[in-house]
Amino acid sequence: MKRRISDNLLLLLESWFAIGMTCVKWHTGLLYKLSKSMPYWFTRLVGLLLRDRRFRVHMGNDISAWRPQRNGLPQGSVLASVLFNLYSNDLPVTRGRKFIYADDICLAIQGQFFCELECSLSSDVARMSHFCRQWRLKPSASKTISSVFHLHNTSATRELSVYLDGQRLRHECHPTYLGVTLDRMLSYREHLAKTAGKLKNRNSNLLMKLAGSTWGASANTLRSCALALCYSAAEYCAPVWTRPAHTSRVDVQLNSTMRLISGTLRSTPLTWLPVLSNIEPPAL
């Protein structure tokens, strides 16, 4: 009986898609994809989760009217990220490689000439744009950028001409992807400079305020705060950028952090700072 119901649901959804994609809603497309790969009870459970959902906006003392939520997923739901991954699991095949984290998609391709890169990327972007229109996703041209990585200094100012729906994408020399700032030569100089500045602010504005000479927190408390505030930011994506020579900028700020924890002077040898603060050296 459940098998017949599942088959009927799949036929019904396929008939809706046969009428035309212009009348298909986002939730209908999600249920259609789930019905082809998941059991019937799970598809029905997701349908009940998304049905009859409403929202309204609060701005100061003003409250808008209730509006039905026909697109998207409930924010904060445990299944939201999983359902979105299932919804976008059938992305079209592209010439370049795709790097995906939730709704952040990066297309990467390698070539010898700039014109080759522009042609291939424009073709892949057009294919992705067609997929998004078909499944009621809206790519943002203003948030989409193009970038190029190479070691040819004579072509340092060369910008790519890649188009999305007839609009030329903005070229960015230092793009940021998943919190890591890249550069043309992949030296991570900009990213390490930003990280060092962030650590310097946290050392001076937060950790130093807790390390008063008469009323300050204990060493254990300072160590816990440093691991949560400073080292967590310093070690983010460390396996990516630990090889360049610019890591010394981060090491200088981490040494300052260890001095605040241990209460030592600036003349203290660097080899003693990890021992006195009970924290691994930055190189580790």
Side-chain angles (χ1 to χ4, degrees):
M1 182 63 181
K2 291 184 178 180
R3 180 64 179 175
R4 290 199 300 269
I5 295 177
S6 178
D7 294 340
N8 293 335
L9 177 62
L10 180 59
L11 292 175
L12 178 60
L13 291 173
E14 288 179 346
S15 64
W16 287 348
F17 274 70
I19 295 175
M21 292 299 298
T22 57
C23 62
V24 176
K25 298 183 178 62
W26 197 94
H27 291 165
T28 308
L30 176 61
L31 296 178
Y32 170 75
K33 292 186 177 184
L34 289 178
S35 64
K36 298 181 66 175
S37 58
M38 304 299 293
Y40 164 75
W41 64 267
F42 183 80
T43 305
R44 180 170 174 80
L45 178 64
V46 174
L48 294 175
L49 174 67
L50 302 177
R51 189 177 63 182
D52 298 333
R53 300 192 68 90
R54 301 184 302 165
F55 68 94
R56 61 181 180 180
V57 180
H58 295 255
M59 294 187 64
N61 296 327
D62 298 331
I63 302 177
S64 67
W66 287 101
R67 302 288 184 179
Q69 183 183 7
R70 299 187 178 91
N71 299 317
L73 294 166
Q75 294 189 9
S77 173
V78 178
L79 290 176
S81 58
V82 178
L83 292 177
F84 183 82
N85 290 335
L86 292 174
Y87 188 77
S88 59
N89 188 48
D90 56 343
L91 291 173
V93 179
T94 56
R95 182 179 177 183
R97 297 183 60 185
K98 291 187 288 290
F99 300 90
I100 307 173
Y101 183 82
D103 59 344
D104 291 331
I105 302 177
C106 176
L107 292 173
I109 195 168
Q110 186 177 5
Q112 294 182 346
F113 305 99
F114 286 98
C115 58
E116 179 185 354
L117 297 176
E118 293 171 347
C119 182
S120 300
L121 286 176
S122 297
S123 178
D124 290 347
V125 169
R127 191 174 291 109
M128 295 291 295
S129 177
H130 175 72
F131 173 85
C132 292
R133 289 195 305 269
Q134 184 181 14
W135 294 102
R136 291 298 174 269
L137 298 173
K138 187 177 181 180
S140 177
S142 61
K143 296 181 180 180
T144 305
I145 61 174
S146 65
S147 186
V148 62
F149 309 99
H150 58 84
L151 300 177
H152 299 283
N153 295 328
T154 56
S155 303
T157 58
R158 179 66 160 80
E159 296 183 356
L160 294 179
S161 297
V162 183
Y163 293 86
L164 172 61
D165 296 335
Q167 182 178 352
R168 186 176 183 272
L169 298 180
R170 177 173 54 89
H171 185 87
E172 180 63 47
C173 297
H174 300 99
T176 301
Y177 185 66
L178 300 181
V180 178
T181 303
L182 308 175
D183 56 86
R184 177 177 60 86
M185 303 177 65
L186 293 180
S187 63
Y188 301 98
R189 180 176 181 179
E190 296 293 330
H191 176 73
L192 294 174
K194 291 181 180 179
T195 304
K198 185 185 300 183
L199 296 179
K200 184 177 181 180
N201 292 333
R202 296 187 179 185
N203 284 334
S204 58
N205 297 332
L206 296 176
L207 203 61
M208 188 177 295
K209 301 298 188 295
L210 299 176
S213 58
T214 57
W215 56 269
S218 61
N220 291 331
T221 302
L222 292 176
R223 180 180 180 275
S224 300
C225 294
L227 292 176
L229 298 174
C230 299
Y231 276 82
S232 61
E235 296 175 353
Y236 176 73
C237 287
V240 176
W241 49 259
T242 49
R243 292 183 179 272
H246 303 288
T247 54
S248 58
R249 298 187 177 186
V250 177
D251 295 344
V252 170
Q253 300 303 324
L254 291 181
N255 292 334
S256 299
T257 302
M258 289 186 287
R259 288 193 182 95
L260 291 174
I261 297 174
S262 57
T264 55
L265 300 176
R266 191 174 183 83
S267 58
T268 305
L270 297 180
T271 55
W272 279 101
L273 294 180
V275 178
L276 297 175
S277 59
N278 194 22
I279 296 180
E280 294 82 1
L284 297 181

